[in-house]
């Protein structure tokens, strides 16, 4: 599991534990009902964080890669490339993807994909320097 998911699960567990301790201030019949509700919330949270959320992110990233592939095929049909995601584990409307063209293996291009809109955000070299510092003339700048 990713660290962000583990942190989320830890936070949820601590909150439910704290509310569970507060239930000792309630009457016995109400306390049992609240514990059942807290247990259901805890189980549902673990199911969501562990299985549903990663599937949503995977699907979202897959769609963004398809849109970016279409954009790159249209714009650079004579070239080939590799696409990787940025290891973001958040469900969000904008997806960031990294592209390395086979004809320019030392430069990484970062694209954002929002719905069907593709934008080139920035570029840098594999070594981590900016393109300007390294003196490389980018061939795929948009």
């Amino acid at each position: 599991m990713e660290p962000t998911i583990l942190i989320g699960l830890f936070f949820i567990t601590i909150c439910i534990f704290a509310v569970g301790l507060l239930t000792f201030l309630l009457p016995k019949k109400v306390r049992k009902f609240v514990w059942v509700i807290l247990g259901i919330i805890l189980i549902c949270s673990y199911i969501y964080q562990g299985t549903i959320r990663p599937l949503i992110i995977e699907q979202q990233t897959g769609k963004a890669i398809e849109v970016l592939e279409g954009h790159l095929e249209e714009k650079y049909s004579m070239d080939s490339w590799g696409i990787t995601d940025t290891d973001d584990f958040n469900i969000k409307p904008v997806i960031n993807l990294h592209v390395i063209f086979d004809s320019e293996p030392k430069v990484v291009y970062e694209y954002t994909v929002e719905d069907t809109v593709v934008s080139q955000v920035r570029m840098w070299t594999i070594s981590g320097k900016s393109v300007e510092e390294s003196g490389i003339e980018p061939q795929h700048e948009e």
Side-chain angles (χ1 to χ4, degrees):
M1 268 193 208
E2 301 306 322
T4 54
I5 293 173
L6 291 175
I7 291 168
L9 291 174
F10 179 74
F11 181 71
I12 290 167
T13 304
I14 294 299
C15 289
I16 288 182
F17 181 73
V19 173
L21 287 177
L22 290 175
T23 60
F24 284 110
L25 301 173
L26 299 172
K28 194 170 187 172
K29 287 184 181 181
V30 176
R31 186 182 320 152
K32 287 181 183 180
F33 177 73
V34 172
W35 283 348
V36 168
I37 297 299
L38 290 175
I40 291 170
I41 291 171
L42 185 65
I43 290 169
C44 290
S45 298
Y46 273 68
I47 289 171
Y48 172 75
Q49 290 287 342
T51 57
I52 297 171
R53 185 170 178 256
L55 290 175
I56 292 171
I57 293 168
E58 185 179 317
Q59 178 189 27
Q60 203 176 36
T61 303
K63 285 182 183 178
I65 288 173
E66 286 177 17
V67 170
L68 181 58
E69 282 277 349
H71 172 78
L72 294 175
E73 285 174 4
E74 180 181 310
K75 195 144 182 127
Y76 306 109
S77 59
M78 301 304 278
D79 209 343
S80 57
W81 51 81
I83 299 175
T84 59
D85 62 1
T86 58
D87 297 327
D88 287 337
F89 301 101
N90 297 319
I91 298 172
K92 56 187 179 180
V94 179
I95 306 295
N96 294 321
L97 299 170
H98 296 154
V99 176
I100 298 176
F101 290 91
D102 291 341
S103 63
E104 197 176 12
K106 293 183 180 182
V107 180
V108 178
Y109 294 89
E110 183 175 37
Y111 287 86
T112 60
V113 180
E114 184 173 7
D115 295 325
T116 58
V117 178
V118 176
S119 305
Q120 189 179 73
V121 181
R122 62 190 180 118
M123 62 192 102
W124 63 90
T125 62
I126 294 288
S127 64
K129 290 190 207 176
S130 70
V131 174
E132 294 82 23
E133 287 177 12
S134 64
I136 295 174
E137 184 70 35
Q139 300 173 10
H140 301 90
E141 186 173 12
E142 294 181 21

